[in-house]
Amino acid sequence: MIKKNKLLIRLSITAVICYAFNSCDTADKSHNSDPYEKKVDSLIALMTLEEKIGQLNLVGRDGNRNSATQIGPEKAEAIRKGSVGNLIGVVGAGPNREVQRIAVEESRLGIPLLFARDVIHGYKTLTPIPLAEAASWDLEAIEKSARIAAIEASASGINWTYAPMVDVSRDPRWGRVMEGAGEDPYYGSLVAAARVKGFQGDDLSKENTILACAKHFAGYGSPMAGREYSITDVSMRELYEVHFPPFEATLNAGVGTYMTSFTEVNAVPATVSRFLLTDILRTQWGFDGFVVTDWSTITQLMEHGVAADSSSAAAASIKAGVDMDMGSKSFVKNLVQLVKENKVSEKDIDIAAARILLAKYRLGLFDDPYQYTNPEREKTEVLTLENREAARDIARKSLVLLKNKDQLLPLSKKLKTIALIGPMIDDPKATMGRWKAEGNKEDVITIIQGLKNKLPETKILTAKGADYDTEDRSGFSQAIAIAKQAEVIILAVGESQKHSGEASSRASIDIPGVQMELVKELHTLGKPMVVILHNGRPLTINWINDNVPAILEVWIPGTEGGNAIADVLFGDYNPSGKLPITFPLSVGQIPIFYSYKNTGRPDDGSGSRWASKYYDIPNKPLYPFGYGLSYTTFEYSDLQIEKSKVGINDIVTFSIKITNTGRIKGEEVIQVYTRDLIASVTRPVKELKRFRKVLLKPGETKVIHFSLTTKDLKLLNEELQWVTEPGAFQLMIGSSSSDIRLEGMFELIE
Ligand code: GLC
């Protein structure tokens, strides 16, 4: 009898699911609402409270990455019971197919799982860190980089990545500046949108597109004192002007999920901030995806001192607008009881579960739960030559030439003997960086390998010379010995894999350890010297800048890093990168950025001490935002502003001429800045409003046209409303934020 009843129940459920999934011809087609929403509602109606709460639960793997099932029997049973709806860190088409099978075939309703991974800058073919990619100023290449990451991840069982990280940051003490797009909200917004489009493609239900996640909402890029996991205490103005724009850009690009930050806004931890998660995200911006917490931020509410226990933390989180609990299990442990005690309404849980189920529908998981676990794709679409070439291309474009005295670079390929020295000349882990996902060190082209590939006939003498951050000088003598035999010394110094990324704030941003002593000792040999700077954040390299003729910023360049570096060092690619973040002269200047305010007592260079300045060092940075050299030179000319007076709702149009005045082809990133001269609130001395990366042959001139709309010139008034005010604007066009080549004016009139 029971068996017969179960069958009846199953049949009626099947009928209802059949209706819900529209896989039968009785579905009501009269509505023209989003078909997914109807299906979701029907499915929700079938689910128990426990099953709905299971969808809000995201847990990690158990076994190691290479074990057959990366989840143990307990977790498998939890999936069968429907109390785990999402996994992080379980990877591989094979393992994930088996785990998905448990969910789909052995649970009551067969709801597919989300499989998440931090695919931040590549899955197995690693591209440069996001901060480096931002230095390319090539939005197509950045989107393509994310596209390749999505192809590789989706071929390996992953359907959700925790990227892009869109936190704007002006504090290089914070190790996570490496994950973002630097200091500028306008440029950061464009990069953020490009990365979302790369991950999600034009159809999320395709097998090679994955759900993206805008993180960390919000304000995490300004941790007090630059210290990781510290509080964020910024004004509402800074939130709206600096931190929100890239998040809103991801939303306009269709991002499917958001992640709450570890930090707090207005003294309320993001995970329980109704202001952030409901007022801004849902009410003002209309976000219809779902919000996941960062790792265990719900239980951390007790440390913050805003929740007495896990139960009240869970209640506050879901009421504020959190939909999914990453890693703390607070939802599965407490929500059933909280609903029974009427402390949380089941409606809130239905809303959260519906948002997550909607995402699973949009991913196509209900049509084919196994579409991301196709072992054939994993064999043919991961770490391909094409993907490697794309990684090498964006890595080349990300390199920034910081100094090139007397055109020491590019080096001749006819060099007989090179000394390659430094701790990262053969360190694949450093070249991959902290967010290496499933990148293997065996697949990395290190700096040594890159030079050998480039110059098979040249003798390349190598020595580590020094470790990253020990006091050990025992390697100096060997380094000096090989340097004496070489025509050129190439020094690869900077930070190791552990010096940047999460939980890697540094109070000093000097090159760590005794590397600088090594640089200085080698410098006494008086030989041509090139420094390759390998870092995840701006560093204070003043001595190197003053004494070493050539400096190439290579960041953390990824799987093809060695080849990309060799391409630039030996002239097969003319460097075109520009800094997306300021390099300070001193850590004491932080926060330092190009779009600063003039103050009432600007430092006008007259030497007066009664000005906004330091007693001991100048205000200016070591290298400014937008800075980067080329092996050629460019001349800017003929700024033509179509109309000097423009109606406030009209468009400002202007053009310039750009000429390659050197002997080799090159790309220049033309930057357009404006300054609102008189406004109802103080405005920055300049703000980036447009840029264009232009390739020019030697002697070639191009006319480049730009236009600015009212929206581009808006400001946040005293009431925190976005408005555009009439008045005069300065127009500045140049090769960096402090290398302005053309200036003009226009006026907005009512
Ligand atoms: C980490 C990071 C977050 C990441 C998450 C999952 O703590 O803050 O960026 O996506 O946990 O690994």
Side-chain angles (χ1 to χ4, degrees), residues 92-122:
N96 287 16
R97 191 174 193 86
E98 172 48 24
V99 178
Q100 191 70 291
R101 188 199 61 75
I102 295 170
V104 171
E105 297 176 20
E106 297 181 11
S107 76
R108 192 174 76 87
L109 291 171
I111 297 171
L113 299 165
L114 287 178
F115 288 94
R117 185 84 178 87
D118 289 284
V119 183
I120 309 295
H121 55 100

Side-chain angles (χ1 to χ4, degrees), residues 16-24 27 39 42-43 109 361 366-367:
V16 173
I17 291 180
C18 163
Y19 165 81
F21 290 3
N22 205 12
S23 56
C24 44
K39 292 175 183 177
S42 309
L43 182 51
L109 291 171
Y361 264 107
F366 281 97
D367 294 326

Side-chain angles (χ1 to χ4, degrees), residues 16-23 34-47 55 86 109-114 159 203-206 209 211 290 353-369 371-372:
V16 173
I17 291 180
C18 163
Y19 165 81
F21 290 3
N22 205 12
S23 56
D34 177 340
Y36 284 152
E37 277 166 13
K38 268 189 338 184
K39 292 175 183 177
V40 166
D41 291 346
S42 309
L43 182 51
I44 290 276
L46 294 173
M47 296 168 76
Q55 289 301 307
N86 316 280
L109 291 171
I111 297 171
L113 299 165
L114 287 178
N159 47 43
D203 177 356
L204 205 46
S205 68
K206 278 186 185 157
T209 58
L211 209 49
F290 72 82
R355 287 167 177 160
I356 293 160
L357 292 170
L358 189 57
K360 293 184 177 183
Y361 264 107
R362 288 173 173 166
L363 272 169
L365 284 172
F366 281 97
D367 294 326
D368 175 6
Q371 76 166 352
Y372 296 97

Side-chain angles (χ1 to χ4, degrees), residues 70 141 189 249 290 315 345 353 420 429 440 485 573:
Q70 296 152 47
S189 299
F290 72 82
S345 83
L420 179 61
K429 281 174 69 177
N440 290 323
Q485 301 168 49
Y573 180 79

